[in-house]
Amino acid sequence: MDLILIQTLNGLASASSLFLVASGLSIIFGVTRVVNFAHGSFYMLGAYIAWSLVSRFGSASALGFWGGVLLAALLVGLVGLLIEIALLRRIYQAPELFQLLATFGVVLMVQDVALASWGPQDLLGPRAPGLRSFVSIFGNRFPTYELFLIVLGPIVLGALWLLFNKTRWGTLVRAATLDREMVGALGVNQRLLFTSVFFLGSCLAGLGGALQLPREAVNLHMDLSIIAEAFVVVVVGGLGSVTGAYLAAVLIGVMHAFGILIFPKITLVLVFLIMAVVLIVRPHGLMGRKPSLVQQGATMREPLLSPATREIKLLGAAALAVLAIAPLLLGNYGVSLLTELVILTLFAASLHFMMGPGGLASFGHAAYFGLGAYGAALAAKWLAAPMAAGLLFAPFLAGLAGVVFGWFCVRLSGVYLAMLTLAFAQIAWSVAFQWVELTGGDNGILGVWPAPWAAGKTTYYYLALVLCTALVLALRVAIFSPFGYALRAGRDSPVRAEAIGLNVTRINWLAFIIAAIAAGIAGGLYAYFKGSVFPTYMAISKSVDALLMVLLGGVQTVSGPIVGAFAFAWLQDWLVRGIAEYWRLVLGSAIVVLVLAFPQGLVGTALRWRGRSQDDDVPAEAVR
Amino acid sequence: MSGPVLEARGLAKAFGGVKAVDGVSFTVEAGRLLALIGPNGAGKTTCFNLLNGQLQPDAGSVFLGGRNITGLAPRMVWALGVGRTFQITATFSSMTVRENVQMALLSHHGKVWNLFSRAREAFVAKADALLEQVGMAAQAERACGILAYGDLKRVELAVALANAPKLLLMDEPTAGMSPSERIALMELTARIARERGIAVLFTEHDMDVVFAHADRIIVLDRGRLIADGSAEAVRANPDVQAVYLGSGSTFGGR
């Protein structure tokens, strides 16, 4: 009995920090429609800055500690303010996904800035003065600081409620959440509103991070781990609803606390089950409302998609010929790099299949790549399966996940779908990471070697080239097949698609599964190529790699992901080898610059330039 | 002819406290054009959305050729032979005009799950015949995303005809078109309907169009049906006059 009570209290305490981060994310999204990936970075920065400030002010005095914490929150708010003014303000008109990419660029940059400023080691924070003791609850010692956090959550919720319901500013924010254009038309200074909202949201994230100081060591992984949980909270609570965020944070915090008792290995799976149940019952979250479709239907105009012209086909054939003879000219390293490139091309093309024609943007596509890799590795490790069997088991496992995860994901759309795919990917990652007996945890699975006949680097390259080319071409054929058209129909106009008898949900589901299977094959090939698999294959950064490749190439073109994969993988390889240290900072900056310079992607921009000179039928705005 | 194609019985739908549609009953016969008119906010579009399954009615039922279709999803209603055009045009902007029609034909022939053949090469002749009928054949290769509004309406009509429907639901088919285009489109609709024995239910604000082409008119006001009859009868109906004159608009736009 008292164990239940203690675990409930533990859960409530961790819910408060989660709530602070999630509410900030939710508020920022509500007004600016930007899913701020960097929100987790603000949380991490809050913790680091608070650590520095408190160390300097002296953690013994109440003023030193609390002053440090609050100042850290404000400083993080200022960082958010600067990012909003310098970056986001310029891309509010860009497609949603580009904004997301830009904020991910910020994530990468902040990671390296934090590494440079505070070093790689975990930093232990002081305990809060005045709250160092324990209280006795049914004979159990419970830290007072935790109790303080439990109380803080509802206080912040109340304060936000007052702010939004009792002030003019709050009214404007709520109005902008409902209808941004109308608020602008009424003469409200949107810039100021957006910037102030971003400041508030960042402060909340910073405060959430700073308050973790007495609870856990500050480390460089805080950003991505909290952002995934915050996404889950926001999706479960309902996008844009602060109260929903609180309820969801409590629900998930408490379940987490109990999960550690019951299934210590798979706590995230429990979180996933809760999320699944909530989304089945209430697809738009506990307190969320169904977004109005009318706006979308009227403003979204997708560009015309036509099959490759003769010149593009010739170009493709020429590129393929170059790839075929490349091993004759390249050394071992070059062949390895090319192998990785063709595998990543299939990975990118698989994401593009659901994202381009289907409009289903996945933030967690690495899950299927990783599951494919693990499928091959597990088959090799536990069943001593030969490579051919492993390469079949890879898409099977990935496809199975696509069937299950996809069933939930295709019921949502837009940002919700993106967040949910990310959450699923985190679950897959945590299973690989936590289920040490099966997967080897962090150490991964080693010794996944290809069959003897394919063991040579060049042979394996040709195997990968043949398989990936065939599959990329098959995906292309599918895009121009009746199914591909139906998929596009559902994206262009869901209402019309339903009115001509198309079952859009089921069509999207199949597209999701196909994308998962193709990614799984890429993953299987990658496993045999590297000889080992690790949980990082499913990490958020891998999913973002795929997104980057697709967006870099241009999502509304079929050849885009291929160009994007090569451009990205080459850039990354060059950065990692050339700069080694702080390559994330450079890559992050490069992403930000690319988003600012090429909001249509590389191929999209090229087509647009060509379109301008030749054909009036493709007006610039249609290429968006 | 045996019985009406479409029959609505006591349809009702409320949004919060507002009774958008309140006990509406009517029938449409094959080859006939029934106009549904009424001032803004009378419940016309809601009524349409109840008929094709976009919304679930709170009460009442819809029969298509004697079969109860109440509550079926829009795609099921379509499969039973109901074509629809929308007040705000809904077409696939990433496809050409012909591909829009081909998409509907592919769906009608149950070819949607084919992953290997080329969609562009499917039902080209049928699609062109439909486009010819609505006068869009010359623009078959153009992208739907860049068409003029009036042309989009005609593409919608071709798409709606692709499943050889028994019933056409047209929500403000001529909105946003010039007066000459309106007449042309409705003449075309009337001709196709009569030739093929399709029942047409349409809403319209332009009374010239209504009186010129509707075989029968029903009038909605604040969710209730206040008149049902021929053009003359409706024109003479004092309730109808009160609704329209009271709201400041006039008959016939004169």
Side-chain angles (χ1 to χ4, degrees), chain A residues 77-96:
Chain A
L78 281 180
V79 171
L81 190 90
L82 281 178
I83 290 174
E84 200 273 344
I85 292 174
L87 173 63
L88 293 173
R89 188 175 277 185
R90 293 167 207 283
I91 52 171
Y92 281 131
Q93 302 305 323
E96 240 166 36

Side-chain angles (χ1 to χ4, degrees), chain B residues 34-131:
Chain B
L34 175 67
L36 172 62
I37 64 169
N40 287 332
K44 299 186 296 289
T45 299
T46 305
C47 194
F48 260 67
N49 288 340
L50 292 175
L51 292 175
N52 93 318
Q54 213 124 301
L55 288 174
Q56 304 290 319
D58 298 335
S61 34
V62 184
F63 292 86
L64 183 72
R67 175 173 176 176
N68 191 339
I69 60 162
T70 320
L72 288 185
R75 60 171 185 277
M76 314 293 257
V77 173
W78 180 85
L80 293 170
V82 177
R84 159 143 206 197
T85 68
F86 292 89
Q87 185 172 353
I88 299 164
T89 54
T91 55
F92 308 130
S93 60
S94 73
M95 301 181 196
T96 64
V97 169
R98 183 189 291 123
E99 285 169 342
N100 266 267
V101 184
Q102 283 173 305
M103 188 67 250
L105 287 165
L106 283 166
S107 174
H108 178 51
H109 290 95
K111 304 267 196 245
V112 166
W113 302 99
N114 184 325
L115 277 157
F116 305 104
S117 70
R118 299 187 58 148
R120 285 192 143 215
E121 287 156 16
F123 305 112
V124 177
K126 276 192 182 173
D128 282 349
L130 282 166
L131 288 174

Side-chain angles (χ1 to χ4, degrees), chain B:
Chain B
M1 275 293 149
S2 58
V5 173
L6 176 74
E7 182 178 2
R9 278 189 212 155
L11 280 183
K13 178 77 186 178
F15 297 106
V18 183
K19 288 180 176 170
V21 172
D22 188 7
V24 170
S25 305
F26 59 86
T27 58
V28 199
E29 277 83 32
R32 295 306 190 86
L33 272 69
L34 175 67
L36 172 62
I37 64 169
N40 287 332
K44 299 186 296 289
T45 299
T46 305
C47 194
F48 260 67
N49 288 340
L50 292 175
L51 292 175
N52 93 318
Q54 213 124 301
L55 288 174
Q56 304 290 319
D58 298 335
S61 34
V62 184
F63 292 86
L64 183 72
R67 175 173 176 176
N68 191 339
I69 60 162
T70 320
L72 288 185
R75 60 171 185 277
M76 314 293 257
V77 173
W78 180 85
L80 293 170
V82 177
R84 159 143 206 197
T85 68
F86 292 89
Q87 185 172 353
I88 299 164
T89 54
T91 55
F92 308 130
S93 60
S94 73
M95 301 181 196
T96 64
V97 169
R98 183 189 291 123
E99 285 169 342
N100 266 267
V101 184
Q102 283 173 305
M103 188 67 250
L105 287 165
L106 283 166
S107 174
H108 178 51
H109 290 95
K111 304 267 196 245
V112 166
W113 302 99
N114 184 325
L115 277 157
F116 305 104
S117 70
R118 299 187 58 148
R120 285 192 143 215
E121 287 156 16
F123 305 112
V124 177
K126 276 192 182 173
D128 282 349
L130 282 166
L131 288 174
E132 187 70 56
Q133 272 193 328
V134 298
M136 286 295 293
Q139 307 199 51
E141 301 281 343
R142 295 189 74 197
C144 250
I146 55 166
L147 287 187
Y149 200 67
D151 289 341
L152 277 179
K153 292 268 178 187
R154 291 198 282 177
V155 175
E156 274 213 308
L157 180 58
V159 169
L161 288 171
N163 64 333
K166 291 184 266 204
L167 172 70
L168 262 185
L169 298 175
M170 304 176 81
D171 197 359
E172 300 209 12
T174 69
M177 296 173 101
S178 69
S180 59
E181 278 182 318
R182 292 174 183 212
I183 304 282
L185 183 80
M186 285 319 289
E187 264 171 11
L188 174 71
T189 309
R191 202 188 69 227
I192 294 172
R194 276 172 201 133
E195 278 172 14
R196 303 193 179 182
I198 301 172
V200 178
L201 175 67
F202 70 104
T203 64
E204 188 52 70
H205 276 295
D206 184 334
M207 292 306 148
D208 283 335
V209 170
V210 171
F211 288 124
H213 295 289
D215 297 299
R216 223 175 82 228
I217 298 169
I218 54 178
V219 189
L220 268 187
D221 180 40
R222 277 171 282 173
R224 290 178 164 278
L225 202 60
I226 58 168
D228 181 346
S230 66
E232 291 70 37
V234 165
R235 215 194 278 257
N237 186 316
D239 287 344
V240 178
Q241 286 172 358
V243 165
Y244 271 85
L245 295 176
S247 72
S249 60
T250 55
F251 272 85
R254 278 180 277 256

